[in-house]
Amino acid sequence: MIKLLLVIPTLDRSGAEKQFSLLATRLPRDEFDVHCVALTRGGPYEAELAARGIPLTILRKRFKFDPFTLRRLRRTVEQLQPDVMHTWLFAANAYGRIVAGNSPRPKVIVSERCVDTWKSGWQLWLDRRQIDRTARLVANSQAVADFYRQQGFPAERIAVIPNGVEVPDADPTFDRAAALAKFDIPPEAAVIGYAGRLARQKRVKDLIWGFQLLRQVVDRPVYFLIVGDGPERSRCERWGRSFGCTHLLRFAGHRDDAERLIGLFDVAWLASDFEGLSNFIMEAMARGIPVVASDIPPNRELVVDGETGFVVQVGDSVGFSQFTDRILADPDMARRLGEAGRKRMREEFSVERMVAGHVELYRGVLAGA
């Protein structure tokens, strides 16, 4: 039995946390004894771990560098004696490697989930200082792997394991018209959608401007449903007012039913200037929704241009409008793109493949491969 300790800062409803929960709850229980740690707080995914009988320890981290949490994590490791400690995101990666030191057990695996251009010099320095304490770095896309290789991490110790997504069956109980009515959107309208954090990297302003252009050319009512919250929320609302399209924007805020709301979209938009591997794009494609996304390497790993959607240059609001107009005007194209995206998610980005990739990684690290 492999004793596995999974460590992450929080269990908030975000992309990395979702993958963490999917992995923890889907690993084969006859081979893995799994224990989870959240450095700062629990969150929505706490209930999913509990439902599957996965023990969770919350350390209540309070400061950017909290020596008390570091001590509590060290005590947890000493008590559990894991064979592998797999940490996720910067804070957990740093704390986990400090605690492990240079001891042969546990083997430390870190997960990096984004092309982290946001990291400051000291954070990248700390990452480099801890390379020798790291058995493997798991990247969720080739773009993330390339970024960390460029920061000095040895290529032979980087593993690429893409995010996994569940491809849902059609839900006969889902009443689209009733769901749209909750947002005061008429049932005959086309719905453009974005789901995710309202942060600068997501370039939501580009999308709002693209929507303003789109609504000038389509021959049917069109609305923009924005699911999520974040520091750019008030700016997004101001941009809507300045562009003159506030009456067609719908800010849903943070929602526990975000995945279901994605099913309302006719076209999904993502304009980010950097990503890891977008859970939002994957969830939209898994539901057969065409995607228009910014042309950055991680998005190109998901969206096959002209086959499952379209990619446009970063900042190209006109491109978002033009390609979406084509999709809305051609139902056969929309259906073809959606079906191809759904097939791609099922065959290449399933949760089963993601879990199997980690199982192979853990076995290999312990075998010294």
Side-chain angles (χ1 to χ4, degrees):
M1 182 75 71
I2 295 172
K3 298 180 71 174
L4 174 66
L5 181 63
L6 298 174
V7 186
I8 197 166
T10 77
L11 289 172
D12 292 344
R13 194 173 293 283
S14 294
E17 291 81 357
K18 177 172 184 175
Q19 296 299 313
F20 178 95
S21 175
L22 284 171
L23 177 62
T25 57
R26 303 297 178 85
L27 283 165
R29 302 296 289 273
D30 59 346
E31 184 176 1
F32 292 91
D33 179 11
V34 182
H35 191 110
C36 293
V37 167
L39 293 183
T40 304
R41 60 181 178 272
Y45 290 110
E46 190 174 345
E48 296 189 16
L49 296 178
R52 297 293 185 98
I54 306 293
L56 170 67
T57 301
I58 301 174
L59 301 183
R60 307 298 178 188
K61 177 176 174 287
R62 293 186 296 165
F63 317 111
K64 186 169 288 188
F65 178 76
D66 188 337
F68 302 104
T69 298
L70 195 65
R71 185 172 62 188
R72 288 192 286 269
L73 179 60
R74 180 174 285 112
R75 187 181 304 125
T76 300
V77 172
E78 290 171 352
Q79 290 173 348
L80 296 176
Q81 292 291 302
D83 300 300
V84 175
M85 176 164 55
H86 182 179
T87 62
W88 297 57
L89 306 177
F90 176 75
N93 292 343
Y95 277 56
R97 288 183 284 192
I98 290 171
V99 164
N102 293 311
S103 61
R105 282 286 193 281
K107 300 290 187 182
V108 178
I109 297 171
V110 301
S111 273
E112 297 289 1
R113 317 302 296 178
C114 192
V115 178
D116 290 323
T117 54
W118 60 269
K119 282 186 176 178
S120 62
W122 74 266
Q123 290 168 315
L124 293 172
W125 171 84
L126 185 60
D127 284 342
R128 288 192 291 270
R129 289 280 296 179
Q130 298 188 99
I131 287 174
D132 289 343
R133 300 179 175 187
T134 313
R136 291 290 188 280
L137 183 152
V138 179
N140 61 347
S141 71
Q142 188 58 51
V144 172
D146 292 343
F147 176 83
Y148 279 94
R149 180 178 50 78
Q150 291 163 7
Q151 304 308 312
F153 203 94
E156 66 274 13
R157 282 194 274 145
I158 298 176
V160 177
I161 304 176
N163 292 348
V165 65
E166 296 176 292
V167 179
D169 295 326
D171 182 358
T173 67
F174 184 57
D175 188 335
R176 187 175 191 273
L180 289 175
K182 293 179 180 179
F183 297 100
D184 194 25
I185 298 175
E188 72 276 10
V191 179
I192 311 307
Y194 164 78
R197 185 166 162 77
L198 301 185
R200 186 168 298 181
Q201 77 176 81
K202 302 294 187 177
R203 302 182 68 101
V204 181
K205 182 179 182 179
D206 295 346
L207 298 182
I208 294 175
W209 179 236
F211 175 76
Q212 169 66 357
L213 298 174
L214 175 67
R215 79 181 189 91
Q216 309 297 324
V217 297
V218 294
D219 58 1
R220 58 190 284 202
V222 60
Y223 288 75
F224 188 13
L225 180 56
I226 299 170
V227 181
D229 215 330
E232 296 284 291
R233 169 73 177 264
S234 61
R235 287 182 179 175
C236 291
E237 292 171 340
R238 288 201 303 272
W239 292 327
R241 290 192 294 270
S242 66
F243 296 158
C245 58
T246 298
H247 61 297
L248 299 173
L249 302 182
R250 297 293 184 267
F251 289 92
H254 182 81
R255 302 278 299 223
D256 288 338
D257 60 347
E259 292 178 29
R260 194 164 191 177
L261 292 182
I262 290 172
L264 297 174
F265 302 167
D266 292 288
V267 182
W269 280 3
L270 184 69
S272 306
D273 51 24
F274 67 89
E275 285 284 343
L277 199 68
S278 169
N279 283 277
F280 166 51
I281 287 181
M282 296 176 71
E283 288 164 2
M285 292 173 68
R287 285 160 176 76
I289 298 167
V291 173
V292 182
S294 52
D295 189 3
I296 58 175
N299 290 348
R300 275 195 171 273
E301 292 183 43
L302 295 173
V303 182
V304 181
D305 192 38
E307 294 184 20
T308 66
F310 297 99
V311 294
V312 301
Q313 292 184 354
V314 173
D316 184 5
S317 299
V318 174
F320 277 93
S321 174
Q322 288 178 327
F323 281 115
T324 302
D325 181 36
R326 285 179 56 187
I327 293 170
L328 294 179
D330 189 343
D332 288 338
M333 173 192 285
R335 184 167 49 255
R336 184 172 67 252
L337 296 173
E339 289 174 355
R342 186 175 169 87
K343 182 174 183 288
R344 180 167 168 77
M345 290 301 103
R346 181 184 292 110
E347 294 181 353
E348 300 184 39
F349 294 92
S350 68
V351 173
E352 291 75 18
R353 286 187 64 144
M354 180 271 289
V355 172
H358 282 90
V359 169
E360 183 179 356
L361 174 68
Y362 298 147
R363 291 171 179 166
V365 165
L366 290 174

